[in-house]
Amino acid sequence: MPRLDDIDALYRSHGPAVLRRARRILGNEAEAQEVLHDVFTSLLARPEQFAGLSSPMTFLYRVTTNRALQRIRTRENRSRLLQTRHRAAESSSTDPEAHARLMELLRSLPEDLARIVVYYYVDGMTQREVAEIMGCSRQWIDKQLQVLRRQGDPEGKSC
């Protein structure tokens, strides 16, 4: 279980990566800052949630992804995300329409499948890497991606 000094060191060394991760998923600087603070506030309140079973970055990456996806799903933030997305798109190198479609898809998917979409399609991870972060088998990830493909590819391309 990390001590206060350990959490402070994690914040200093990994905070920028957590912020980049949240910014990439949310496409909004203010929301990303809130996720950064949520992640580390939660760790301060409940340090036992990091049991040391994975690397600190793997843990923070997973927690940040979950927090960002939770924000997308909350009703009060949905409206704000859609309104501010146009402003964020001006400073983003991604296609705003594709990002809006991705946000809509993420809101409609079950939690695990939304995480898989972010890791696999947004981050470009391999199925094995996704399985490691999620703590499941590569075969299960493959099966979930097959389910997703039957519903329609999130990038708008067929496989």
Side-chain angles (χ1 to χ4, degrees):
M1 179 163 61
R3 300 179 329 239
L4 182 59
D5 290 342
D6 298 333
I7 295 170
D8 182 54
L10 279 177
Y11 181 81
R12 291 177 192 282
S13 63
H14 292 71
V18 168
L19 181 60
R20 280 191 307 275
R21 176 77 182 144
R23 189 184 303 124
R24 183 165 189 190
I25 294 171
L26 296 167
N28 179 283
E29 182 66 27
E31 292 283 337
Q33 287 281 342
E34 289 180 24
V35 167
L36 170 68
H37 295 289
D38 288 350
V39 166
F40 283 96
T41 300
S42 173
L43 192 54
L44 281 170
R46 293 181 315 117
E48 71 278 1
Q49 64 185 303
F50 177 61
L53 301 175
S54 64
S55 73
M57 193 62 232
T58 300
F59 168 77
L60 291 170
Y61 197 82
R62 185 179 65 245
V63 171
T64 301
T65 300
N66 291 342
R67 293 283 177 152
L69 290 173
Q70 285 171 351
R71 282 196 169 276
I72 290 171
R73 286 196 173 98
T74 60
R75 288 188 182 164
E76 68 185 58
N77 287 324
R78 282 184 189 174
S79 174
R80 190 165 27 133
L81 279 172
L82 292 174
Q83 290 171 0
T84 59
R85 180 61 195 139
H86 295 292
R87 282 181 267 137
E90 293 172 4
S91 65
S92 175
S93 62
T94 61
D95 175 18
E97 291 178 19
H99 189 79
R101 287 192 307 271
L102 178 62
M103 288 291 124
E104 188 61 35
L105 175 68
L106 292 174
R107 283 191 288 273
S108 69
L109 292 175
E111 179 73 25
D112 283 344
L113 196 50
R115 290 174 58 202
I116 291 169
V117 165
V118 170
Y119 294 143
Y120 189 77
Y121 288 103
V122 175
D123 297 334
M125 291 181 164
T126 65
Q127 290 182 12
R128 186 168 312 288
E129 291 168 331
V130 175
E132 183 180 325
I133 281 185
M134 293 186 65
C136 58
S137 72
R138 193 216 45 86
Q139 291 81 7
W140 186 80
I141 297 298
D142 183 56
K143 183 177 177 181
Q144 297 307 305
L145 287 169
Q146 289 175 25
V147 167
L148 180 66
R149 287 180 188 115
R150 282 193 294 268
Q151 295 174 359
D153 189 291
E155 294 182 338
K157 301 179 221 164
S158 59
C159 297

